[in-house]
Amino acid sequence: MSDSATTPAPDGSGPAQLPDPARPIAAGYAFTGPALDLGALLWEGVCHPDAQVRVPLPMLNRHGLVAGATGTGKTKTLQLIAEQLSAQGVPVFLADVKGDLSGIARPGQGGDRVSTRAAETGQSWSAEGFPVEFLALGGIGHGIPVRATVTSFGPVLLSKVLGLNRTQEQSLGLIFHYADTKGLELIDLKDLRAVVAFLTSDEGRPELKGIGGLSTATAGVILRSLTAFEAQGMADFFGEPEFDTADLLRLAPDGRGLVSVLELPAVQDKPQLFSTFLMWLLADLFHDLPEAGDADKPKLVFFFDEAHLLFHDASDAFLDAITQTVRLIRSRGVGVFFVTQTPKDVPSDVLGQLGNRVQHALRAFTPDDQKALKATVKTFPDSPYDLEELLTGLGTGEAVITVLSENGAPTPVAATRLRAPESLMGPVDPAELDRAVRDSPLYGRYAQAVDRESAYEKLTAAQAQRPAEAPKAKREKAPAEDPSLVEQVVGSGMFKSLARSVGTQLGREITRSLFGTARRGR
């Protein structure tokens, strides 16, 4: 930027020259390729619309963090970024915990505040809605039902949802291993409960010795946890038809990226459940997407809201799996943005992989707040700003930003006044949401739950046959060792139908990921 670079003064009285210390910062965001426009540079309280703060589109798969205290504008930042990604043909996934993001489907409403913000940031604002698919966990709330089979969800994520300890998690893994190798397909929770109940019964207890010495006491704990989980109304989240995460990668007919909004207000009182389900979606994407290498733009940008819930009370193995998934999914063309209050909510191994940072204001009312503030400042590159003072003085819709430049190097830290979203900044009417859901091309595929024959039905049918076979067994000479119930089930003719079951591989173990999630046939 030349020495004569100027910008309007905040009072409108005339131009304000970009100060010398701010020029290297502005130069750090002068990208030549496609980029998202986040806002205008702030220096000493003055907004400079000629100094645009941007993030290169190809760098969006290098992950990021959107952080800040409640009420500082994080949701509007997500909306702003999602709009521009969609406009450039990149699909987006958003978790809408409070119900504020559904308005992205409708054009925004202008007014004095929007006009002022647009003038301050050099934005040519126009009202515009974007193509949106509304989703809902288990169909609870307004959205296309998102379900997972228990087999696909896997033992690691399910253990976190059930609140199991490390030993119990390992035991649940053995139960899944047993079901996988025996072809006992776990579609919903009653299938898993049936397998656990069988393994703790007189007929099934010998099977425990063959799968690593699973104790009946631990199996009992798992069974009680499942029963309590179902009693809380959680069964709807597991079953078929299972959501295909490839549906998150679609484009609208006009070439814009589809914005998939997972509506969570109806389940916001179940944070462990929805945060773990988000991880399942991400892990499933990682399984299915091929290596993409460096691309002009991401295949998908995934915003992981309320990220601190995922990491809370997580085991070391769970954190290692998150770290490795985040590290590797970039090569599949997926960018992940964690959304939370402070960077300290994210483990350092994960935080170190987040190349793009949007830090809204922090509060410093308590000693813990002060400690979090100092820790946050240390995560930023050296800067001419006094970041401790700046981060506590930012207004709503302002943030401290650093991103990866086109050559992959961090940009200078830039205090930024963010642009205004062009879509509606607020929720749409629930009746309108329901109409959008019914009109979706996905409605016919996912709306109606299906309960087909699986482990529960197979074990129940085998148990019903057993008394009729018992008298004949008494008349014959007893063999050296009676086959167990599951061995009888596996050998029965009706069990062979499992070979045709989607997602199950009879007679060999299902391939599982770092999280124990299962690869499914597409």
Side-chain angles (χ1 to χ4, degrees):
M1 186 169 290
S2 68
D3 291 345
S4 61
T6 59
T7 186
D11 60 2
S13 60
Q17 190 172 12
L18 189 64
D20 289 342
R23 290 177 185 168
I25 299 174
Y29 293 87
F31 308 125
T32 58
L36 308 187
D37 296 310
L38 301 179
L41 182 66
L42 280 170
W43 184 264
E44 295 182 342
V46 178
C47 190
H48 297 271
D50 288 340
Q52 289 293 306
V53 177
R54 315 169 74 214
V55 54
L57 187 61
M59 292 295 113
L60 268 297
N61 74 334
R62 301 295 182 94
H63 310 320
L65 176 74
V66 178
T70 301
T72 56
K74 295 193 300 295
T75 300
K76 300 301 179 287
T77 297
L78 302 187
Q79 192 168 346
L80 173 68
I81 296 174
E83 290 176 354
Q84 295 189 58
L85 285 168
S86 174
Q88 299 207 44
V90 178
V92 179
F93 174 86
L94 295 169
D96 188 9
V97 178
K98 296 174 289 186
D100 294 341
L101 286 168
S102 58
I104 198 171
R106 298 291 173 262
Q109 298 175 344
D112 291 342
R113 293 179 64 183
V114 171
S115 298
T116 300
R117 178 58 64 107
E120 291 172 342
T121 59
Q123 177 183 11
S124 298
W125 189 90
S126 61
E128 186 174 0
F130 293 82
V132 175
E133 189 77 76
F134 295 105
L135 310 173
L137 286 185
I140 298 178
H142 305 279
I144 299 294
V146 175
R147 307 180 188 90
T149 65
V150 173
T151 284
S152 176
F153 202 73
V156 179
L157 294 178
L158 187 59
S159 293
K160 194 168 194 303
V161 169
L162 295 175
L164 302 181
N165 63 30
R166 180 61 176 159
T167 299
Q168 293 158 357
E169 176 187 316
Q170 292 171 338
S171 297
L172 185 62
L174 290 174
I175 294 169
F176 270 76
H177 170 82
Y178 180 79
D180 288 351
T181 55
K182 296 296 184 181
L184 288 168
E185 195 173 16
L186 308 176
I187 300 298
D188 51 27
L189 292 179
K190 74 176 185 299
D191 289 321
L192 179 57
R193 186 157 35 84
V195 172
V196 178
F198 166 70
L199 290 173
T200 56
S201 68
D202 290 341
E203 296 89 350
R205 201 168 289 122
E207 300 288 332
L208 299 176
K209 297 177 182 178
I211 59 172
L214 174 68
S215 74
T216 53
T218 300
V221 170
I222 294 170
L223 187 61
R224 290 191 294 274
S225 297
L226 284 170
T227 302
F229 188 66
E230 288 182 288
Q232 296 172 28
M234 306 293 196
D236 291 337
F237 304 116
F238 296 95
E240 287 185 325
E242 183 176 71
F243 187 77
D244 186 346
T245 50
D247 287 324
L248 301 178
L249 306 175
R250 293 178 295 145
L251 300 178
D254 61 6
R256 291 184 296 174
L258 192 69
V259 181
S260 298
V261 178
L262 183 65
E263 291 291 323
L264 294 173
V267 294
Q268 61 180 303
D269 59 336
K270 302 175 177 65
Q272 289 284 2
L273 177 69
F274 72 68
S275 64
T276 310
F277 247 93
L278 295 183
M279 195 66 238
W280 171 74
L281 290 171
L282 196 59
D284 193 73
L285 283 165
F286 175 69
H287 290 174
D288 291 345
L289 289 173
E291 290 283 335
D294 293 328
D296 294 337
K297 59 185 178 182
K299 293 180 179 178
L300 173 74
V301 175
F302 190 106
F303 289 91
F304 208 120
D305 206 356
E306 302 290 343
H308 65 282
L309 298 170
L310 181 70
F311 303 114
H312 180 67
D313 288 338
S315 66
D316 289 343
F318 191 87
L319 292 177
D320 288 344
I322 294 173
T323 303
Q324 199 157 347
T325 300
V326 172
R327 180 182 297 120
L328 297 175
I329 201 168
R330 177 177 72 81
S331 65
R332 265 73 166 174
V334 176
V336 183
F337 276 68
F338 291 98
V339 186
T340 188
Q341 294 202 359
T342 71
K344 74 180 183 64
D345 294 333
V346 181
S348 58
D349 286 346
V350 176
L351 189 64
Q353 299 181 57
L354 310 183
N356 304 295
R357 300 275 300 279
V358 180
Q359 177 66 60
H360 288 266
L362 291 174
R363 310 303 182 205
F365 300 139
T366 68
D368 285 344
D369 291 341
Q370 289 282 355
K371 188 181 299 183
L373 174 62
K374 291 181 182 298
T376 298
V377 169
K378 291 179 181 178
T379 64
F380 281 93
D382 291 340
S383 166
Y385 294 101
D386 181 341
L387 288 180
E388 281 195 38
E389 180 180 347
L390 179 61
L391 285 172
T392 55
L394 290 171
T396 302
E398 297 177 347
V400 171
I401 292 175
T402 180
V403 302
L404 293 181
S405 67
E406 291 168 312
N407 63 8
T411 60
V413 175
T416 307
R417 184 162 294 159
L418 297 164
R419 294 183 169 211
E422 296 184 334
S423 56
L424 182 65
M425 290 187 279
V428 301
D429 183 74
E432 188 175 350
L433 276 180
D434 289 337
R435 284 195 298 272
V437 171
R438 288 193 298 271
D439 292 342
S440 167
L442 300 184
Y443 185 79
R445 287 169 52 192
Y446 296 117
Q448 186 62 46
V450 176
D451 186 13
R452 65 181 173 86
E453 195 172 53
S454 49
Y456 171 81
E457 288 79 14
K458 299 298 182 182
L459 289 171
T460 301
Q463 184 65 44
Q465 287 182 359
R466 189 173 179 81
E469 297 169 356
K472 181 180 179 181
K474 288 181 180 179
R475 291 192 299 270
E476 296 176 352
K477 183 178 179 180
E481 184 177 339
D482 289 334
S484 70
L485 176 59
V486 169
E487 286 170 337
Q488 294 178 44
V489 174
V490 172
S492 68
M494 64 181 175
F495 192 80
K496 294 178 182 177
S497 64
L498 275 175
R500 297 187 298 273
S501 298
V502 176
T504 297
Q505 303 172 41
L506 185 59
R508 58 191 177 96
E509 187 178 2
I510 292 172
T511 301
R512 293 192 174 274
S513 74
L514 293 167
F515 278 101
T517 54
R519 179 183 291 276
R520 299 163 298 156
R522 293 300 190 199

